[in-house]
């Protein structure tokens, strides 16, 4: 428990009230004093008492007086949930995710059995994860994704889920390419929602999922094999998928990815070019093409494709790291160091780029 909490005895305080709340004599009131300060008479006020109670709610889940503290807080500050929720939403919309998560965790401590409290944390962790993925900070993103999943699992246990829960569950699984679960949640959302704008968005997503066949078993098996480094076994599944969905860029992209991982770069480029004809907006396709050309030593084409990928996704640190490697291989160590430093500035824990920078320094 925090050293900044002092407990004030209420013994002998018969019929004592704080606001409209009748204080019990047998339960001491916790008072939170910031920054290791000393307790003084002026610091014993409702705000600091609530601060102490919130610290206990968040740090001592086995405390015997949690329900009493919650009753006190909602009696003395009946608008606390609305105020905190508004502040958390504002922080989240400004992409101050850590601040938003801190507030959402307080709200969960106040209402641990609330669907909304668990859903808000799930959504915020998910948004934070997506932001980190977009910036190429994959390891941090995966940690946030796992935390989001923990809270989405709790939300999923509620029997009667509101439409916004169905929407965000569908979106979460869509981003993780678990299309079967995504479709199930989105279908239920469409059946229940009164939000016509969001309904149209989801119907379009469902159409794309079904048109592109990403729920197809051959596609799913191919993805699983490539992720488990069994690229050579994936081609039969990919070919069957392409035959069923010839207008989907995903099949050619997967085939290109498999060839690139097998270091068959010319075959990879041939298939990635086909994927590009079906989807010119994917930074992933350009990034893969950049890797292929870089490994073939065709640096000007590698640089061109990495830059196209970067224009599509300017915050992706993976693309920046790939550019650093390209310039190193090209012999332009100064430019390579520049890109390394950009990546490390935004993600000091990026071991790949830190090792690349060390290698460049040793070869100067």
């Amino acid at each position: 428990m925090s050293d900044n909490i002092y407990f004030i005895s209420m013994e002998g305080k018969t019929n004592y009230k704080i606001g409209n709340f009748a204080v019990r004599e047998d339960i001491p009131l916790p008072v939170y004093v910031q920054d290791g300060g000393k307790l003084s008479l002026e610091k014993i006020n409702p705000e600091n008492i609530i601060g102490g109670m919130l610290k206990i709610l968040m740090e001592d889940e086995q405390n015997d007086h949690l329900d009493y503290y919650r009753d006190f807080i909602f009696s003395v500050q009946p608008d606390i949930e609305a105020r905190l929720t508004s502040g958390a939403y504002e922080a989240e919309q400004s992409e101050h995710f850590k601040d938003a998560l801190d507030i959402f965790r307080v709200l969960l401590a106040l209402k641990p059995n609330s669907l909304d409290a668990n859903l808000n944390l799930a959504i915020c962790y998910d948004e934070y994860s997506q932001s980190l993925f977009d910036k190429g900070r994959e390891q941090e993103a995966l940690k946030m994704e796992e935390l989001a999943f923990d809270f989405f699992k709790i939300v999923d246990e509620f029997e009667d889920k509101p439409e916004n829960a169905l929407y965000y569950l569908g979106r979460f699984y869509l981003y993780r390419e678990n299309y079967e679960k995504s479709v199930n949640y989105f279908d239920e959302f469409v059946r229940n929602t009164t939000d016509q704008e969001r309904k149209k968005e989801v119907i379009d997503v469902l159409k794309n999922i079904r048109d592109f066949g990403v729920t197809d078993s051959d596609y799913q098996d191919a993805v699983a094999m490539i992720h488990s480094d069994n690229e050579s076994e994936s081609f039969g599944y990919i070919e069957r998928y392409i035959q069923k969905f010839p207008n989907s860029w995903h099949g050619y992209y997967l085939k290109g990815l498999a060839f690139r991982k097998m270091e068959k770069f010319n075959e990879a480029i041939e298939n990635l070019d086909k994927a590009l004809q079906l989807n010119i907006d994917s930074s992933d396709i350009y990034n893969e093409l950049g890797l292929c050309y870089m490994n073939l030593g065709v640096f000007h084409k590698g640089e061109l494709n990495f830059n196209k990928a970067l224009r599509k996704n300017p915050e992706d640190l993976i693309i920046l790291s790939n550019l650093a490697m390209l310039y190193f291989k090209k012999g332009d160590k100064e430019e390579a160091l520049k890109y390394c430093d950009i990546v490390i500035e935004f993600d000091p824990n990026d071991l790949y780029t830190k090792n690349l920078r060390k290698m460049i320094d040793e070869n100067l």
Side-chain angles (χ1 to χ4, degrees):
M1 184 58 58
S2 172
D3 293 335
N4 293 346
I5 293 179
Y6 297 84
F7 289 89
I8 306 300
S9 172
M10 300 305 294
E11 190 173 350
K13 300 285 187 179
T14 307
N15 298 323
Y16 186 80
K17 288 187 176 183
I18 297 178
N20 293 320
F21 186 82
V23 177
R24 285 173 52 174
E25 292 185 59
D26 59 327
I27 301 178
L29 292 178
V31 179
Y32 178 68
V33 180
Q34 290 185 338
D35 303 324
K38 297 297 182 182
L39 182 65
S40 59
L41 189 61
E42 65 270 14
K43 291 178 181 176
I44 304 175
N45 56 53
E47 288 74 21
N48 288 340
I49 292 170
I50 288 174
M53 290 178 172
L54 288 173
K55 290 286 286 184
I56 294 171
L57 287 172
M58 296 182 70
E59 296 178 8
D60 185 7
E61 295 180 2
Q62 304 304 315
N63 192 285
D64 292 334
H65 308 309
L66 299 183
D67 289 338
Y68 175 73
Y69 293 153
R70 291 186 182 107
D71 290 342
F72 179 98
I73 292 168
F74 283 115
S75 174
V76 175
Q77 290 191 1
D79 65 339
I80 188 170
E81 184 178 10
R83 286 190 293 104
L84 289 176
T85 301
S86 175
Y89 284 157
E90 184 177 343
E92 186 177 16
Q93 288 166 6
S94 302
E95 297 193 1
H96 297 149
F97 294 111
K98 291 181 180 179
D99 293 337
L101 287 166
D102 286 342
I103 302 171
F104 281 135
R105 280 192 285 264
V106 172
L107 286 161
L108 182 65
L110 286 170
K111 287 191 170 182
N113 299 318
S114 162
L115 185 151
D116 285 339
N118 283 283
L119 179 61
N120 282 333
L121 272 166
I123 294 169
C124 194
Y125 275 120
D126 187 27
E127 297 279 0
Y128 193 14
S129 171
Q130 286 304 306
S131 175
L132 291 167
F133 273 125
D134 288 343
K135 295 171 183 175
R137 297 164 65 176
E138 188 168 330
Q139 293 305 312
E140 292 174 82
L142 288 170
K143 291 178 184 177
M144 296 303 108
E145 180 180 83
E146 190 63 32
L147 289 166
F149 187 38
D150 289 341
F151 283 102
F152 274 122
K153 284 188 287 188
I154 295 171
V155 171
D156 203 15
E157 291 173 1
F158 285 85
E159 187 172 343
D160 296 318
K161 289 182 272 294
E163 62 181 60
N164 67 323
L166 297 171
Y167 172 81
Y168 283 108
L169 281 162
R171 194 188 71 165
F172 176 78
Y173 287 111
L174 174 68
Y175 289 157
R176 275 75 198 174
E177 297 187 1
N178 187 334
Y179 296 108
E180 185 176 353
K181 294 198 78 167
S182 177
V183 166
N184 288 338
Y185 286 118
F186 277 154
D187 278 339
E188 189 175 352
F189 171 81
V190 169
R191 288 195 299 271
N192 290 280
T193 187
T194 58
D195 185 335
Q196 294 305 310
E197 183 177 348
R198 188 168 273 183
K199 181 177 183 177
K200 182 181 181 304
E201 172 199 335
V202 170
I203 288 172
D204 289 342
V205 170
L206 287 168
K207 183 178 184 302
N208 284 334
I209 290 174
R210 287 167 176 142
D211 286 351
F212 290 147
V214 288
T215 57
D216 180 79
S217 60
D218 284 323
Y219 175 84
Q220 294 293 326
D221 288 341
V223 169
M225 287 179 181
I226 292 170
H227 285 170
S228 59
D229 298 325
N230 293 316
E231 293 84 13
S232 60
E233 297 178 23
S234 69
F235 290 112
Y237 296 94
I238 297 172
E239 290 299 340
R240 286 194 293 273
Y241 169 75
I242 290 174
Q243 288 174 10
K244 286 182 279 188
F245 301 95
N247 295 320
S248 172
W249 64 275
H250 294 82
Y252 295 109
Y253 174 77
L254 278 185
K255 202 171 179 182
L257 177 61
F259 277 127
R260 196 269 296 166
K261 291 183 72 176
M262 295 171 69
E263 298 187 358
K264 295 183 177 181
F265 301 115
N266 287 311
E267 291 93 333
I269 290 168
E270 180 183 347
N271 283 278
L272 291 167
D273 280 340
K274 290 178 181 177
L276 201 58
Q277 291 172 21
L278 296 166
N279 180 7
I280 61 171
D281 293 320
S282 170
S283 64
D284 290 334
I285 298 174
Y286 287 116
N287 186 56
E288 286 296 324
L289 281 166
L291 289 169
C292 291
Y293 282 118
M294 176 181 73
N295 283 291
L296 287 171
V298 187
F299 296 121
H300 68 284
K301 287 191 176 182
E303 184 178 1
L304 176 68
N305 279 283
F306 284 142
N307 283 323
K308 285 182 178 179
L310 205 58
R311 282 197 291 274
K312 301 290 182 186
N313 195 355
E315 295 185 322
D316 193 327
L317 298 185
I318 291 175
I319 302 169
L320 291 168
S321 186
N322 288 338
L323 274 166
M325 176 58 80
L326 180 141
Y327 286 118
F328 174 60
K329 289 189 171 189
K330 188 179 175 181
D332 189 343
K333 294 175 183 177
E334 184 178 341
E335 198 71 4
L337 286 171
K338 182 185 84 171
Y339 279 101
C340 283
D341 289 342
I342 292 171
V343 173
I344 293 167
E345 179 183 355
F346 284 98
D347 185 6
N349 299 315
D350 189 323
L351 292 178
Y352 172 82
T353 306
K354 288 170 78 173
N355 288 333
L356 175 59
R357 197 192 194 292
K358 182 180 178 183
M359 184 168 61
I360 296 169
D361 282 335
E362 290 171 352
N363 284 275
L364 284 176

